[in-house]
Amino acid sequence: MAEVRTRGGRPSGRVRLKDVARLAAVAPITVSRALQSPGRVSAEARLRIDAAIAATGYVPDLVAQSLVSNRTGMVGVVIPTIVDSIYASTIAAMSEVLRAHRAQLLLGDSGYSLAEEEAIAGAFLARRADALVLSTVAHTDRLRRLLSRAGVPVVETGNLTAEPIDMVVGLSNERAAFDMTRYLVERGHRAIGFIGAETGGNPQASDRQAGYRRALAASGLPLDERLVIEAPRELDGGSAALRTLLERGPGLDAVFAAGEVWAVGALLECLRRGVTVPARLAIAGFNDEMIAGQLVPPLTTVRIPRAEIGRRAAQMVVDRLRGRAVAPTTVDVGYEIVRRATA
Amino acid sequence: MAEVRTRGGRPSGRVRLKDVARLAAVAPITVSRALQSPGRVSAEARLRIDAAIAATGYVPDLVAQSLVSNRTGMVGVVIPTIVDSIYASTIAAMSEVLRAHRAQLLLGDSGYSLAEEEAIAGAFLARRADALVLSTVAHTDRLRRLLSRAGVPVVETGNLTAEPIDMVVGLSNERAAFDMTRYLVERGHRAIGFIGAETGGNPQASDRQAGYRRALAASGLPLDERLVIEAPRELDGGSAALRTLLERGPGLDAVFAAGEVWAVGALLECLRRGVTVPARLAIAGFNDEMIAGQLVPPLTTVRIPRAEIGRRAAQMVVDRLRGRAVAPTTVDVGYEIVRRATA
DNA sequence: TTGTAAGCGTTATCAA
DNA sequence: TTGATAACGCTTACAA
């Protein structure tokens, strides 16, 4: 086997356009045209080319196509965490829309770290992702600069913002939390505890807490800071938070958990401790995920259209990449208070 | 602005190596070297180059690098579904290992369809993914041919197989199901129902059912086909299956649900119908996910090291890509019977 | 309808 | 240590 000496990149070993062309006795460009716009190639040539493609098992090299077209057909998506099921349905919906348009999803999880988000998004840009989808609306300044310099379409998801980078699909977490808290007040609850995530660099978390605070104020209820708990995002976090709340607030009659992990964790803790729900303590959750609706008793919660967020975000990306104008650039997908048994 | 006429691909508008080189007054190749192996460039040149990179905000183009190096640094992963949380921890672990080695995960979900799996894997190969990770060990013949022709490293995950395509990380679902069923028998149960997925083209599902059947036979217990239920992968599927089982088997004293959705669905249905668990009916699950361990009563189940599967699979891929020999090529990560309250 | 030449942004090879 | 040249696999612009 005489190794052919070459300069530059080494041959890949795969079947190339050139090989197909040789077999079909046409120029490479003709094969290219047969694939891209078959109408511009004679029927005979097309037949020979199709046969050659079938015979060789040729698969076009998207890397080479990307280099010349400046399009990779890849959309980078950064989520805070893969493990938490919250984002699964969003990702699934995005993936489906993208695949329908022959685009591919690049996934990265930031672990709720803005620095990681920046690093991942940077890697996506280095790979020339055609567009980026980010979770939440808080980002490092460097990432904002990077994005504006790159000029790629960006969709922020989850929370609405007054100053979007580009496009936004989300909802007002503040209003949703406000409404749910008001609902508890209307049901006659007066001492309402709160469980949520740490608010630092997480607008979704801080907005929900802010909504809770505003609702209490609007209802003329006192706010007891000791009843506002920031917990780790685990079932145990919810259980532990509930124990703390019961200790601190003897008169506690309701808990608003701004995430299903905490709500379910708190509910299960109540079952274990014999605290009757909702008779002695009402519980409200957020997200309507996991088995919220199937628990005994089923959980009252805020439903967010996760799949729709993914679908719309992907659709906006696709539209923009097709050169279509996207309007409006901010989409409010809303939310819904789901009244079940726990509150 | 005199538009420069070019042939071939249009310029991308981003800062190129060439731009940095001009600014640093060196040849492009020198900039390349400064980035790839700084030791091969003089200190002065390096300083000027670093300054030029900082000034321009240059980011290397991985698409161009991929074309010449024949490496994309991307690993394609096909899972049956993103929505089911089963795969989340596997994906998260893989993603972490890959990122540590500057590789990127390409994700696609097949919806449990072998044809879709083939299509997605094909798309990954067109993008020149450096390696592929597949779920389960059943694939279309065309995919097998495609993979062998492409010659990329492949890791199959989830189930062990006697005839791997290349590498495998998994466990014997048959033995796991056998052991769990035996455990139920040892606890004195005689009429044991089974809930699982449709077995067509899903070795994981058929192996679990086979393990259940073998355990009954080995225990000298009769097998009642009417107590073997294939249900849709939803909580409701588990609830409905349980109702069916209770109707069909008046003497039913245990249920083995070969997946947590069904186990949890069945357990919740018992709570709703006042069927005491485990006093009147024992329930065993599979996967130890969702809130299995936190339910009241907590679920007896089979634990699978999902994260380890992801970690090992990614590590095998990385090792292979680094040219290291991977041995053994089949890794059995095992399983564990977790004895909790429901059985 | 088909083909030629050039170029996408980078790196391997060889020469200085 | 640095640089000129060609090549990775493909498509655009132009010509025939």
Side-chain angles (χ1 to χ4, degrees):
Chain A
M1 293 271 269
E3 166 115 359
V4 180
R5 277 279 175 182
T6 59
R7 294 167 170 237
R10 6 175 142 151
S12 59
R14 45 153 73 195
V15 180
R16 290 146 305 171
L17 191 68
K18 197 198 298 181
D19 303 318
V20 175
R22 195 179 308 131
L23 197 60
V26 294
I29 184 65
T30 306
V31 178
S32 173
R33 280 197 275 250
L35 266 60
Q36 304 303 325
S37 38
R40 303 182 61 80
V41 172
S42 69
E44 311 150 39
R46 231 181 305 151
L47 273 176
R48 291 205 312 279
I49 290 170
D50 288 347
I53 288 176
T56 54
Y58 170 70
V59 178
D61 186 329
L62 295 187
V63 172
Q65 285 188 348
S66 296
L67 188 62
V68 37
S69 70
N70 264 317
R71 285 291 195 90
T72 56
M74 302 191 299
V75 176
V77 180
V78 189
I79 56 177
T81 172
I82 305 181
V83 175
D84 198 319
S85 66
I86 303 183
Y87 296 95
S89 46
T90 307
I91 295 291
M94 287 195 26
S95 171
E96 189 177 350
V97 173
L98 292 179
R99 246 181 77 67
H101 294 273
R102 297 161 174 275
Q104 173 62 42
L105 188 145
L106 289 176
L107 189 65
D109 73 314
S110 66
Y112 287 94
S113 148
L114 296 188
E116 268 299 298
E117 182 191 53
E118 176 190 317
I120 295 168
F124 287 165
L125 291 178
R127 289 188 189 282
R128 284 209 188 189
D130 290 339
L132 256 48
V133 178
L134 306 176
S135 296
T136 84
V137 296
H139 316 284
T140 65
D141 285 344
R142 285 186 49 184
L143 178 53
R144 286 176 182 283
R145 261 177 279 131
L146 207 61
L147 290 172
S148 70
R149 188 152 48 192
V152 302
V154 174
V155 183
E156 293 166 282
T157 62
N159 212 27
L160 295 178
T161 174
E163 294 172 346
I165 296 178
D166 183 359
M167 298 172 280
V168 193
V169 183
L171 57 117
S172 170
N173 283 276
E174 201 273 346
R175 286 209 306 275
F178 177 87
D179 284 357
M180 180 53 101
T181 310
R182 285 289 275 194
Y183 172 71
L184 292 173
V185 173
E186 283 161 16
R187 302 275 298 183
H189 300 288
R190 288 294 169 267
I192 306 172
F194 178 90
I195 311 174
E198 287 181 22
T199 53
N202 183 346
Q204 208 143 334
S206 51
D207 278 16
R208 288 179 193 172
Q209 194 179 114
Y212 159 81
R213 289 169 183 276
R214 183 164 66 88
L216 290 192
S219 311
L221 291 175
L223 173 69
D224 183 347
E225 289 292 348
R226 295 168 62 252
L227 299 186
V228 177
I229 307 224
E230 300 188 355
R233 204 175 291 272
E234 297 158 5
L235 281 174
D236 285 341
S239 305
L242 185 90
R243 287 194 297 273
T244 307
L245 284 173
L246 288 175
E247 280 169 24
R248 291 184 180 171
L252 192 79
D253 57 12
V255 171
F256 175 29
E260 223 71 327
V261 239
W262 303 301
V264 172
L267 178 52
L268 292 172
E269 183 68 13
C270 285
L271 292 182
R272 275 181 231 114
R273 299 171 80 89
V275 175
T276 56
V277 177
R280 200 183 124 199
L281 188 73
I283 296 183
F286 205 115
N287 275 338
D288 193 29
E289 33 143 4
M290 300 172 72
I291 60 171
Q294 309 274 346
L295 281 174
V296 187
L299 189 72
T300 291
T301 188
V302 179
R303 178 180 300 151
I304 290 178
R306 294 275 172 197
E308 191 188 347
I309 291 177
R311 216 160 26 233
R312 306 277 311 236
Q315 194 58 55
M316 286 167 111
V317 162
V318 167
D319 285 349
R320 184 70 76 78
L321 292 178
R322 300 249 156 138
R324 286 196 213 112
V326 172
T329 54
T330 290
V331 174
D332 186 345
V333 294
Y335 55 89
E336 180 192 352
I337 306 284
V338 182
R339 295 160 198 209
R340 289 197 280 238
T342 58
Chain B
M1 296 265 270
E3 165 113 3
V4 180
R5 276 283 173 179
T6 61
R7 289 165 177 242
R10 5 178 142 149
S12 61
R14 44 154 73 194
V15 180
R16 290 146 305 171
L17 192 67
K18 196 197 299 181
D19 303 320
V20 175
R22 195 179 308 132
L23 198 60
V26 293
I29 185 66
T30 306
V31 178
S32 174
R33 280 197 274 252
L35 267 64
Q36 304 304 323
S37 39
R40 303 182 59 81
V41 171
S42 69
E44 310 150 40
R46 230 181 305 150
L47 272 176
R48 292 205 310 278
I49 290 169
D50 288 347
I53 288 175
T56 54
Y58 169 71
V59 178
D61 186 329
L62 295 188
V63 172
Q65 285 188 347
S66 297
L67 187 62
V68 40
S69 70
N70 264 318
R71 284 290 195 91
T72 57
M74 302 192 300
V75 176
V77 180
V78 189
I79 56 176
T81 171
I82 305 181
V83 175
D84 197 319
S85 66
I86 303 183
Y87 297 95
S89 45
T90 307
I91 294 291
M94 289 198 23
S95 171
E96 190 178 348
V97 172
L98 292 179
R99 245 181 79 66
H101 294 272
R102 295 160 176 275
Q104 171 63 42
L105 189 145
L106 289 176
L107 190 66
D109 72 315
S110 66
Y112 286 94
S113 148
L114 297 188
E116 267 299 298
E117 182 191 52
E118 175 190 317
I120 295 168
F124 288 165
L125 291 178
R127 289 187 189 284
R128 284 211 188 188
D130 289 339
L132 255 48
V133 178
L134 306 176
S135 295
T136 82
V137 295
H139 317 286
T140 65
D141 285 344
R142 285 186 49 183
L143 178 53
R144 285 176 184 281
R145 261 177 278 132
L146 207 61
L147 291 173
S148 70
R149 187 152 50 194
V152 302
V154 174
V155 183
E156 293 166 281
T157 62
N159 213 27
L160 295 178
T161 175
E163 295 171 345
I165 296 178
D166 183 0
M167 298 172 280
V168 194
V169 182
L171 58 119
S172 169
N173 284 276
E174 201 273 345
R175 286 210 307 274
F178 177 87
D179 284 357
M180 181 53 103
T181 309
R182 284 288 275 194
Y183 172 72
L184 292 173
V185 173
E186 282 160 18
R187 302 276 296 181
H189 300 288
R190 288 296 170 264
I192 305 171
F194 178 91
I195 311 175
E198 287 182 22
T199 53
N202 183 346
Q204 207 143 334
S206 51
D207 278 16
R208 288 179 192 172
Q209 194 180 115
Y212 158 80
R213 288 170 184 275
R214 183 164 65 89
L216 290 192
S219 311
L221 291 175
L223 173 70
D224 183 347
E225 289 293 349
R226 295 168 61 252
L227 298 186
V228 177
I229 308 227
E230 301 190 353
R233 204 175 289 275
E234 297 158 5
L235 282 175
D236 285 342
S239 305
L242 185 89
R243 286 194 297 273
T244 307
L245 284 173
L246 287 175
E247 280 169 25
R248 292 185 180 172
L252 192 80
D253 57 11
V255 170
F256 175 28
E260 223 70 329
V261 238
W262 302 301
V264 172
L267 178 53
L268 293 172
E269 183 67 14
C270 285
L271 293 181
R272 274 182 231 113
R273 299 170 81 88
V275 175
T276 55
V277 177
R280 198 181 125 200
L281 187 73
I283 295 183
F286 205 113
N287 275 338
D288 193 28
E289 35 145 2
M290 302 173 69
I291 60 170
Q294 309 274 346
L295 282 173
V296 187
L299 188 72
T300 291
T301 189
V302 179
R303 180 181 297 151
I304 290 179
R306 295 274 170 199
E308 192 190 346
I309 291 177
R311 215 159 27 233
R312 307 273 316 234
Q315 195 57 57
M316 286 167 109
V317 162
V318 167
D319 286 349
R320 185 68 77 79
L321 292 177
R322 301 250 157 137
R324 285 196 213 114
V326 171
T329 53
T330 290
V331 175
D332 186 345
V333 295
Y335 55 88
E336 180 191 353
I337 306 284
V338 182
R339 293 158 200 213
R340 288 196 281 239
T342 58

